[in-house]
Every structure is written in C-alpha cells, then in structure tokens.
Amino acid sequence: MLRPTRMEVDLKAIRHNYRQIASYVGGRAQVICVVKANAYGLGARRVVESLRAEGVTRFAVATPDEAVQLREWGAGEPILVLGQSLPSAAGEMVARDVACAVGDMAFAEALSLESRRQGRQGRVHIKVDTGMGRIGFLPREAEEAVPQIMSMGNLDVEGIFTHFSTADEPRLSFAEEQFTRFGDLLDRMRSRGFRFRLRHACNSAALIRMPHAHLDAVRPGIVLYGMRPSPVCPVPLDLKVPFQVKTQVVAVRDLPPMWGVSYGMRYVTRGEERLAVLPIGYRDGYLRCLTGKAQVLIRGRRFPVVGTICMDQCMVDVTDDPSVRVGDEVVLLGSQGEETITPDEFASWLGTIVYEVPGIFSERVPRVYVGED
C-alpha cells in the first residue's frame, strides 16, 4: 500500500469471540453468525471464510444481495436473510437455496410461485412482530398466516423468529413481554399441530441476558465483533475487539503563534506549536464531527486532533512531544503501548452507538487481515 491508512482485522480474535459465544450457549442452541453489512464493516468474505474454518454452520445477512455474494464466494452453509425482501427477489433466493424472512403473504406467495416454477423448495423463516414494529406478522396475523404458508406445500418452513427491541436497555421488562408473546404464539401453533425446527429470538444482548430465551438458535452480531451491545449491557464473555484503525504521520509542521489551522480557522495556534499531519479524513470515515473531540495515539501517548477535519487529511497537536517524526505509527482506534482508544470511546465522540463504528470507515480504508492460521 502506498498510503499507510488501514484497518487491521484480527481474524483470530473473531474466531475466539465465536468460541466464547458457543461455549456460553453450551450446545443447547445453534449459533447463527450475523455477517450483515459486510460483517459490520470488517469484510464479510474473509470473516465468513475464517468462521467456516472454525466450524460455523449457519450465517445471517440483511439483504438478498448479501446472500448472493456469500454464495458466489463459495459459502454453501445455510444462509438466512433477516430483512424483508421484495417479491422480485424470490426467484434468485430459491435458486440460491437461501432462507428468507417472510413477514407478509405477498412475499410468501412469490416464493411459492418460484418454487413451483423451479421444481424445488423455497426456505422460509416466518417473522413475528412481537413489539419491534418494523417487519413481520403481528401475533394474531401469524395465527392465520402460518397455516396458509405451510399449506403451500412447496415451501420449507424451516423456522420462526422474532426480534427484541430493548434487550440492551437497563430494564428487561419489555423484552420479557415480547418473549411471552412469542411463546404464547408458539404454544397456540403447537396445539394446532404446527411445529418449527428453528425457533429463534436472541440478538447479542438477549443471548447474554436472557439465556432462557435461547430456544433452538441464537443470532450473535455485535458481540461476535468484540463489542458490547450497549454501555449498560454486562458481557460475561472474554471478548476481543478484532479491529484497529491506523495510519502514519506524513508531515510535521512548526507553526507560529496565532496561525490558523484548516478550514474556517476554527483552531488558531496559541503559541509556537508543532502539528503532525495524518493522511485520513472524512471521506475515509474519520468524520468532521470528530473535530475538537478526537484523540490519537502516537508513541504510546494521546494527542488531540485540532482544526477542522478535511476530506483526506487531519492535523494533530504534538507540541508536547518534539520526538514525533514523519513515519511514526498513529492509532486512531485501538491500542498502542499502555493506551487504548476503544470503540465505546470512539462512539461517544461521534455521539452514536458502537454498532456504527467499524462500518463508518469507507472502502478507501483497506482492510488488512492478521491472525490467520
């Protein structure tokens, strides 16, 4: 690479996190590894290859396109599309043997039609909206929809699932209410002779905090990538953050007092100051809103980012360390020496949740993989 800016992804750490999750679940439920959104920004192809080698047997994505990519990359394991798909995607999903979330009858009918046309079964997981309010059949609707979908004959109704909206909040009362609604529906379906091979409800937070809700499968996402679902969510697992964002100092500038730095002159030197220039900016995902908030690590010390962050560059005040030189490694997210900038801290600077952090970094930041066998 001619440009030193990069994200280092430790595949060994991701495999370690998977083993922690599998051990916690204890074999009572299958682990469906969620690799949507390009594996939360870490690179789905390499992450999936690594997890397959670790023995993962099921994956989940958000969209039909993501499922097609996994198939084209050679993933033969069961894949579930968690989001609602348009009827126009049914043909490709049946042809690729991809399981789809079904939350309305129009999509179920499209899958059934394509299954008949192609002479094969389409795979279905019925989505139940127990309180998320996003997609899926309401419980009373599901009581009518389940028999209709199962009677279509050419659909393999492999599973049924729901999604918790507050499992990462301090109080679990509403998540428990959702689980009760889901359980009541399953009981009513069972009394009428309808059973499902895979019942699943737990995202990362519920997987940890609601072990009684593990059912037949769990869907870890954020914890697979070493991060807590929320600051209030305890994680009794030995998780490892598998990514770091790094670059190098490309210039060191000695500026006089009262000298403007970057666009808008929002920062002006107070005295003689030494600035390090870094080749990363908001087009890379190091967003302008980090201006005046972010810090970086150089030579094991923290230094503040000063001046407005530019599209391709930003500046750091290194006046306190005259030894900083061109070529020094800079850690924008991760560890150096005894210091660490965590995803939680980075998210707080952005004013967002930790889920956004790895995916914020754009395709201009190459993912460099380490920790492979």
Side-chain angles (χ1 to χ4, degrees):
M1 294 186 299
L2 299 179
R3 181 177 182 240
T5 302
R6 66 201 183 276
M7 177 186 286
E8 292 183 0
V9 180
D10 186 345
L11 297 171
K12 186 176 181 180
I14 295 175
R15 295 195 299 270
H16 165 86
N17 293 339
Y18 166 72
R19 289 193 296 270
Q20 286 286 305
I21 294 163
S23 175
Y24 186 77
V25 173
R28 295 181 297 276
Q30 295 187 45
V31 178
I32 304 173
C33 287
V34 179
V35 293
K36 65 180 181 177
N38 199 26
Y40 285 54
L42 302 188
R45 183 170 192 169
R46 298 296 292 274
V47 169
V48 167
E49 288 173 352
S50 187
L51 288 171
R52 292 177 72 201
E54 190 64 36
V56 172
T57 58
R58 286 186 180 272
F59 295 98
V61 294
T63 69
D65 308 77
E66 292 176 340
V68 169
Q69 276 193 323
L70 293 195
R71 286 287 187 250
E72 290 180 344
W73 291 336
E77 292 80 5
I79 298 171
L80 169 62
V81 175
L82 294 168
Q84 182 65 51
S85 304
L86 287 171
S88 57
E92 193 73 12
M93 295 299 92
V94 172
R96 301 275 187 171
D97 193 28
V98 171
C100 295
V102 170
D104 64 53
M105 289 305 300
F107 187 52
E109 290 163 359
L111 285 170
S112 178
L113 180 64
E114 280 296 333
S115 297
R116 284 197 299 273
R117 189 180 69 81
Q118 296 184 32
R120 59 193 305 171
Q121 281 196 314
R123 298 188 185 277
V124 167
H125 285 232
I126 294 171
K127 177 63 183 292
V128 182
D129 177 6
T130 58
M132 183 71 178
R134 190 168 58 183
I135 63 170
F137 297 103
L138 298 176
R140 65 176 182 275
E141 296 171 337
E143 290 191 56
E144 296 181 8
V146 167
Q148 291 181 49
I149 294 170
M150 285 191 163
S151 69
M152 291 178 178
N154 48 15
L155 295 181
D156 176 11
V157 184
E158 185 178 57
I160 187 168
F161 73 112
T162 193
H163 189 65
F164 296 121
S165 64
T166 61
D168 59 350
E169 298 288 333
R171 296 182 60 187
L172 288 173
S173 54
F174 186 67
E176 293 290 2
E177 183 177 340
Q178 283 190 262
F179 187 56
T180 297
R181 292 172 182 171
F182 191 51
D184 289 346
L185 171 65
L186 293 176
D187 288 343
R188 292 193 295 273
M189 291 291 95
R190 191 181 304 111
S191 69
R192 296 168 58 185
F194 299 108
R195 288 176 170 79
F196 307 88
R197 300 195 300 279
L198 286 177
R199 304 161 301 157
H200 49 107
C202 286
N203 54 10
S204 289
L207 182 159
I208 293 163
R209 303 178 72 194
M210 300 170 64
H212 57 284
H214 286 174
L215 300 176
D216 304 310
V218 295
R219 307 187 303 267
I222 198 72
V223 293
L224 186 63
Y225 307 104
M227 293 173 281
R228 294 184 299 167
S230 75
V232 300
C233 183
V235 179
L237 306 177
D238 174 29
L239 298 180
K240 297 181 179 180
V241 178
F243 63 96
Q244 300 190 85
V245 179
K246 299 179 178 180
T247 190
Q248 289 174 268
V249 174
V250 293
V252 176
R253 308 290 314 287
D254 291 307
L255 299 181
M258 301 302 294
W259 201 262
V261 176
S262 193
Y263 294 110
M265 287 187 65
R266 291 179 177 84
Y267 183 85
V268 177
T269 59
R270 290 153 293 185
E272 292 189 355
E273 295 186 14
R274 170 165 286 198
L275 302 188
V277 181
L278 312 182
I280 185 170
Y282 60 77
R283 182 58 185 85
D284 302 292
Y286 205 63
L287 304 181
R288 276 173 61 101
C289 63
L290 292 167
T291 297
K293 302 173 186 176
Q295 299 176 340
V296 303
L297 306 180
I298 306 174
R299 299 189 173 220
R301 293 182 56 188
R302 286 178 176 251
F303 296 95
V305 175
V306 296
T308 302
I309 293 172
C310 309
M311 181 181 286
D312 317 295
Q313 302 172 79
C314 63
M315 282 64 72
V316 177
D317 182 359
V318 295
T319 307
D320 289 344
D321 190 344
S323 68
V324 171
R325 296 287 184 270
V326 169
D328 281 353
E329 180 187 76
V330 182
V331 174
L332 301 105
L333 179 59
S335 298
Q336 190 184 70
E338 300 298 317
E339 287 280 358
T340 300
I341 296 172
T342 67
D344 281 309
E345 183 178 16
F346 200 91
S348 73
W349 295 338
L350 289 168
T352 188
I353 58 174
V354 72
Y355 288 75
E356 281 199 64
V357 171
I360 279 175
F361 293 95
S362 74
E363 76 286 347
R364 253 196 359 174
V365 179
R367 273 56 173 172
V368 178
Y369 296 92
V370 300
E372 298 177 292
D373 293 332

